[in-house]
Amino acid sequence: MAFLAVILFILFVISLGLLIYIYVGYPLIIVGLAKFFRRPIKKTDFLPTATIVIPAHNEEAVINEKLDNILSLDYPRDRLQIIVCDDASDDRTVEIIRTYIPKGVELSEGARAGKVGALNRALTLATGQIYVITDADTILNPNSLRELLVNFADEKVGCVVAQTRMMTSELETSESGGLYWRYEALIRQRESDLHSTVAATGHLMALRRDIMQPIPTNVILDDFYLAMMTISQGYRVISEPKSVVWERPTNTMGDDVSRRRRLTAGRYQMLWMSKEYLPKLSSLLRFQVISHKFLRLAIPHLMILALVTNIILAAILPALSLSSIVNMTVVVLMILQGIFYFMALVGGILSNTSLKKSKLAKLFMLPYFLCATNFASIAGLLWYFSGQHTVLWQQAKRS
């Protein structure tokens, strides 16, 4: 039994240690490195020509607002090309887009091919120096595009991504999702300060058109692929804090789990493809990709391992007559894990009631958010290796 206890203790320490490293250790390392090795961006009042590409599939509920938003941006209209690439919508999306053609919006229609197919189609039509991608269900601040593009005055910058924030109808950050994006924004900004962020998000991102190449049609995560493509060519990928795009929260956690299942499947695909781009990256960037992107795939498995080994250790250690401090530490950690999962359970129950926006519910929503989204990671793993994953996407219902 002593040998079993040693093995379980090692597994418990490794799983707990890796979880702490992923959530706390890596961000602290990046913040520390960025403080001493920051590489500023050379910005000027740069106004390049830009092609804004909006992939769309069944977006009748949001496309009006999106196009009005794009047309109202604080950027010279004569320096913008706006292309909406419809991916075989079967609702009123195309009909609505056509009403904007007199205002200079271009419509590109094609057979159902997913977001990558739409982006590749738009690439053949783009005339701007900068290729800008933005989702149909997000809203940009008026200055977002200008703040995004001034970074390209620095010839070393190849891709710039905006800061994503969650919104309610009043454009206020929501609790669990908003906290996650603020946490992510800190890491991405410090990665950018060092050299490049490795966590690009396609809600609003811009790339130099002359480094753009058609995206392989089987790619699930086009944004991550484009970031790796950019860095592999020796350019920087920058997160711009003054460029803000607002994402509507999903109506239910189930919708968010479905979306994250697809994202996780895409991460496993990019892990499988890593032999194509990781060797081209510096040691620092490889460290960032592994720590920020790939180790996160292990989080749900580490959570399960930490809980199971902790429970077994708490049951068998008293029989080994070990130090009371050891026994107490194991029991306390088990109790803390129990409280965390109990809070997640309560958060799940409250999320389906009228109390979900109460101050009491907010206390439980973060544990629920972490557990639900990490459950989606396991689902994404099974989805990817089952061969059922697809590059086609369906928009989650959003508030």
Side-chain angles (χ1 to χ4, degrees):
M1 184 176 291
F3 178 74
L4 174 62
V6 170
I7 297 300
L8 289 171
F9 185 76
I10 292 173
L11 291 174
F12 174 64
V13 170
I14 290 174
S15 58
L16 190 61
L18 281 173
L19 286 170
I20 293 172
Y21 170 75
I22 294 167
Y23 279 120
V24 181
Y26 173 69
L28 288 176
I29 291 172
I30 288 297
V31 168
L33 289 174
K35 183 176 181 180
F36 296 102
F37 303 102
R38 186 172 181 269
R39 297 177 59 185
I41 304 299
K42 301 173 184 177
K43 296 182 182 181
T44 64
D45 191 15
F46 187 52
L47 294 173
T49 58
T51 297
I52 298 179
V53 180
I54 307 170
H57 175 71
N58 290 347
E59 305 285 5
E60 65 176 6
V62 297
I63 197 63
N64 252 319
E65 184 181 15
K66 178 67 177 186
L67 291 175
D68 286 339
N69 174 238
I70 293 297
L71 290 170
S72 66
L73 293 175
D74 177 23
Y75 203 84
R77 183 64 186 84
D78 60 353
R79 303 190 70 75
L80 287 182
Q81 177 190 24
I82 303 169
I83 304 175
V84 183
C85 277
D86 182 71
D87 190 40
S89 295
D90 54 17
D91 60 1
R92 294 181 58 249
T93 298
V94 171
E95 178 185 340
I96 295 170
I97 296 169
R98 287 191 176 125
T99 66
Y100 285 84
I101 291 177
K103 299 179 182 180
V105 174
E106 300 176 30
L107 170 63
S108 173
E109 298 183 69
R112 187 86 160 107
K115 185 177 180 181
V116 165
L119 293 177
N120 286 340
R121 184 156 27 100
L123 185 59
T124 65
L125 305 172
T127 59
Q129 297 168 271
I130 309 298
Y131 188 86
V132 182
I133 304 167
T134 181
D135 290 341
D137 61 348
T138 58
I139 296 297
L140 283 61
N141 279 358
N143 67 333
S144 290
L145 184 62
R146 184 182 291 266
E147 296 290 354
L148 201 72
L149 299 191
V150 295
N151 291 277
F152 289 100
D154 190 324
E155 61 183 18
K156 295 295 185 181
V157 173
C159 174
V160 187
V161 295
Q163 298 276 354
T164 299
R165 296 181 185 171
M166 298 296 290
M167 69 178 180
T168 63
S169 57
E170 294 81 23
L171 288 183
E172 296 175 349
T173 52
S174 62
E175 293 301 321
S176 55
L179 181 61
Y180 167 79
W181 279 119
R182 291 194 292 274
Y183 169 79
E184 268 294 294
L186 172 65
I187 299 174
R188 296 180 187 195
Q189 193 57 51
R190 296 301 167 258
E191 288 179 336
S192 297
D193 290 342
L194 269 176
H195 182 280
S196 296
T197 181
V198 295
T201 304
H203 300 140
L204 176 62
M205 67 186 301
L207 303 99
R208 294 185 185 275
R209 186 167 62 91
D210 57 7
I211 70 170
M212 283 285 295
Q213 301 168 3
I215 306 168
T217 56
N218 67 323
V219 166
I220 300 172
L221 294 186
D222 54 277
D223 43 16
F224 185 51
Y225 175 86
L226 289 171
M228 293 300 101
M229 178 206 71
T230 300
I231 298 173
S232 297
Q233 295 182 65
Y235 290 91
R236 297 177 68 179
V237 177
I238 300 301
S239 177
E240 174 50 62
K242 294 182 181 179
S243 179
V244 176
V245 58
W246 295 88
E247 182 187 26
R248 295 174 175 85
T250 50
N251 286 341
T252 67
M253 186 58 73
D255 291 332
D256 200 51
V257 167
S258 296
R259 183 173 69 92
R260 290 181 181 277
R261 180 188 68 171
R262 181 176 181 275
L263 293 176
T264 301
R267 286 187 184 181
Y268 277 106
Q269 182 188 55
M270 292 307 298
L271 174 61
W272 183 257
M273 296 172 62
S274 62
K275 60 182 179 294
E276 300 176 15
Y277 58 86
L278 273 185
K280 300 177 183 178
L281 307 185
S282 67
S283 297
L284 173 63
L285 289 168
R286 286 197 294 269
F287 164 71
Q288 291 178 213
V289 171
I290 292 169
S291 297
H292 193 166
K293 304 301 290 187
F294 294 155
L295 280 183
R296 288 191 179 187
L297 293 173
I299 288 176
H301 313 288
L302 294 171
M303 291 172 70
I304 293 171
L305 182 61
L307 179 62
V308 171
T309 54
N310 199 174
I311 291 173
I312 298 175
L313 282 171
I316 68 174
L317 284 185
L320 298 179
S321 301
L322 297 178
S323 166
S324 59
I325 295 178
V326 174
N327 291 335
M328 183 179 299
T329 300
V330 169
V331 170
V332 168
L333 289 173
M334 184 182 69
I335 292 173
L336 290 175
Q337 287 200 73
I339 291 172
F340 173 80
Y341 289 111
F342 174 76
M343 291 176 69
L345 177 62
V346 173
I349 295 171
L350 292 176
S351 69
N352 295 314
T353 70
S354 59
L355 297 174
K356 64 181 179 181
K357 293 185 178 181
S358 67
K359 291 183 179 180
L360 176 63
K362 292 176 182 179
L363 179 65
F364 300 96
M365 292 310 294
L366 182 58
Y368 173 53
F369 177 82
L370 291 173
C371 288
T373 53
N374 280 302
F375 165 79
S377 182
I378 296 177
L381 170 65
L382 298 175
W383 195 48
Y384 178 69
F385 284 106
S386 70
Q388 297 177 8
H389 60 280
T390 174
V391 298
L392 304 182
W393 89 102
Q394 297 287 346
Q395 289 290 1
K397 294 180 180 179
R398 296 182 182 273
S399 302

